[in-house]
Amino acid sequence: MTTIPHRIALTGTLEISRLVCGLWQIADIEKNGTLMDPGKGADALRAYAEAGFDTFDMADHYGSAELITGRLLSRYDGGEQRPVAFTKWCPKPGPMTRQVVRKGVEERLSRLDVEKIDLLQFHWWTFEHPAWLDALHEMERMREEGKIEALGLTNFDAAHLAVALADGIKIATNQVSFSLIDRRAAGALSELCTKTGVKLLAYGTLCGGFLSEKWLDQPEPALIADWSRSKYKRFIDAAGGWGAYQGILTAVASIADKHQVSVSNIASRWVLEHEAVAAVIIGARLSETEHRDDNLNVFRFSLDDEDKAALDAAFTATLPIPGDCGDEYRKPPFLTASGDLSHHLDAVPSVFKAEPVPGKPGRMRVSTGTIWEPLAGYSRALRVGDRILVSGTTATHASDRCVAPGNAGAQATYILDKIAASIAALGGSIDDVVRTRVYLRDVDKWEPVSRAHGRVFSGILPVNTLLQAGNLVGDYEVEIEVEAVCA
């Protein structure tokens, strides 16, 4: 009989529970401005830890979760194995200088009252702002200094995880939505993680409680009051609606009955059985009835071929959630609690600035700060009327650093982000692109570059030319230029 959660090694020195206790509920409890008593909160967390649920996940915006966890950690001396604490740093996009990054990390250290953060996870709102790489490189330096045990990401898609890895960042985890409803993480992201050894931490596994017996054969709710269910109801709608969801729930209930476990156990087990997944994140209920014993049931059975076939059959009636992991925060349909983050993204400062062209009324241009632009006398992008022309662009970060040397696919991803930011600075969008030209050092690397191109343009379908250009200057594997027409 399993009495504590199974464990898994994230690194050579960091071992965690495969059921991680998420502390987002603390922010909900404190939303009226009344903070939890840190001592009482720590008491509640200690009860989890003593039952083997000794790994906790929080964030800089989860109310006083870090302070409460810090109080808990302070109760353990060097001779007793203390709980593991994950936290997240979610800065506002802007320049990620050494000072900015270190201040953000030091604040996490202070609030947790530790000398080293077990796992520090990083979230970034828009990849068109390239300072996310600056932040990760500084955090990597702090990891090497011993202030961070392991470095993780949250809500990164496969393409940008690949960029981080190819650029030399040692990433241990990526925390993403993953459930029977939202199966995006089972695709390209899991493939990359399995190949590279990065582990997934899965949240939303129970879809805010929708994957439970409570909702089986129930009518679709007309109104949802709490933010969590509001968010996951949007996922259900995007996956085909209430009927398709009920089909999955019916299949899960039948499997649960067969194994004599709960619907939630089946939902969690399905995610845990994916090779790339290290753990699922469950809510730590600090003020409600606890479900630790039921959660342990996920380790008392396995899904057999018949179970998996029944689930696959139910999936056929659903629609795939659009895009890749994390897209819900960066592009429509914004499958979040509010359902619309456009106002938030519109407030993100542009990394590039458009300037008028002297002597040419109506013309605007953008420079991106590379050493090549003033040397060779050109602009990154130029707007003439409703046309935007973007120069051949390489994966150059800041003035002259080559991103992801030797990795053509990662370089293409970075380039297309840079192009999108250049177009946006001139009042257009990537949706306005009508022509792309791709120049390769080695034509044998066409596929990863084409996949990066397809990730951005599969819904736009501009005309395209791809050719081998032979040797490119520097360590660059690919160069891309585009033309856009703004309606």
Side-chain angles (χ1 to χ4, degrees), residues 7-11 14 16-18 86 119 121 150-156 161 165 170-176 178 185 189-202 271-281:
R7 304 185 69 76
I8 190 170
L10 287 186
T11 69
L14 182 62
I16 69 167
S17 166
R18 297 201 74 194
F86 305 166
L119 175 68
Q121 302 160 98
L151 192 55
L153 304 171
T154 181
N155 298 312
F156 267 56
L161 170 59
L165 293 170
K170 293 180 173 62
I171 302 298
T173 64
N174 186 20
Q175 185 176 146
V176 295
F178 196 1
L189 185 57
S190 279
E191 182 180 348
L192 175 63
C193 288
T194 300
K195 178 180 177 181
T196 60
V198 176
K199 289 297 184 182
L200 295 179
L201 301 174
V271 174
L272 281 171
E273 289 192 1
H274 286 79
E275 181 181 357
V277 174
V280 299
I281 301 173

Side-chain angles (χ1 to χ4, degrees), residues 180 216 244-258 263 266 303 306-315:
L180 290 162
L216 182 63
Y245 150 72
Q246 283 290 325
I248 290 178
L249 199 56
T250 298
V252 172
S254 177
I255 297 167
D257 184 63
K258 169 183 169 180
V263 164
I266 301 298
L303 296 174
E306 181 183 48
D307 301 332
K308 294 172 183 177
L311 291 172
D312 288 342
F315 295 158

Side-chain angles (χ1 to χ4, degrees), residues 23-39:
L23 303 184
W24 62 83
Q25 189 196 49
I26 291 176
D28 280 350
I29 293 171
E30 297 179 339
K31 63 186 176 184
N32 62 0
T34 302
L35 300 183
M36 288 186 67
D37 177 84

Side-chain angles (χ1 to χ4, degrees), residues 113-130:
D113 193 22
V114 294
E115 295 182 357
K116 179 190 289 187
I117 300 169
D118 295 324
L119 175 68
L120 181 58
Q121 302 160 98
F122 177 71
H123 174 86
W124 193 247
W125 289 101
T126 172
F127 296 118
E128 290 181 16
H129 199 303

Side-chain angles (χ1 to χ4, degrees), residues 145-350:
E145 292 168 9
K147 294 189 175 183
I148 301 168
E149 175 63 32
L151 192 55
L153 304 171
T154 181
N155 298 312
F156 267 56
D157 57 24
H160 291 89
L161 170 59
V163 173
L165 293 170
D167 209 39
I169 310 296
K170 293 180 173 62
I171 302 298
T173 64
N174 186 20
Q175 185 176 146
V176 295
S177 170
F178 196 1
S179 71
L180 290 162
I181 303 297
D182 178 14
R183 302 183 295 278
R184 293 173 297 172
L189 185 57
S190 279
E191 182 180 348
L192 175 63
C193 288
T194 300
K195 178 180 177 181
T196 60
V198 176
K199 289 297 184 182
L200 295 179
L201 301 174
Y203 70 84
T205 303
L206 304 183
C207 281
F210 278 115
L211 289 173
S212 69
E213 290 83 357
K214 175 182 176 180
W215 290 98
L216 182 63
D217 295 327
Q218 294 300 305
E220 184 172 3
L223 180 66
I224 301 173
D226 68 277
W227 70 269
S228 181
R229 287 201 178 99
S230 294
K231 172 181 178 178
Y232 292 107
K233 177 58 164 58
R234 295 182 189 279
F235 278 90
I236 288 171
D237 293 343
W242 198 254
Y245 150 72
Q246 283 290 325
I248 290 178
L249 199 56
T250 298
V252 172
S254 177
I255 297 167
D257 184 63
K258 169 183 169 180
H259 291 284
Q260 293 298 289
V261 296
S262 68
V263 164
S264 298
N265 293 154
I266 301 298
S268 295
R269 184 72 204 182
W270 182 82
V271 174
L272 281 171
E273 289 192 1
H274 286 79
E275 181 181 357
V277 174
V280 299
I281 301 173
I282 58 175
R285 300 168 183 264
L286 304 187
S287 61
E288 302 176 25
T289 302
E290 297 168 352
H291 296 282
R292 290 196 290 263
D293 288 342
D294 180 67
N295 285 323
L296 286 173
N297 283 332
V298 301
F299 303 112
R300 296 168 181 159
F301 74 101
S302 297
L303 296 174
D304 59 30
D305 290 342
E306 181 183 48
D307 301 332
K308 294 172 183 177
L311 291 172
D312 288 342
F315 295 158
T316 62
T318 68
L319 300 173
I321 300 296
D324 202 345
C325 295
D327 281 358
E328 63 269 31
Y329 292 96
R330 300 182 181 98
K331 61 182 69 172
F334 296 121
L335 301 175
T336 59
S338 68
D340 185 359
L341 293 178
S342 57
H343 65 288
H344 180 88
L345 295 175
D346 289 344
V348 173
S350 174

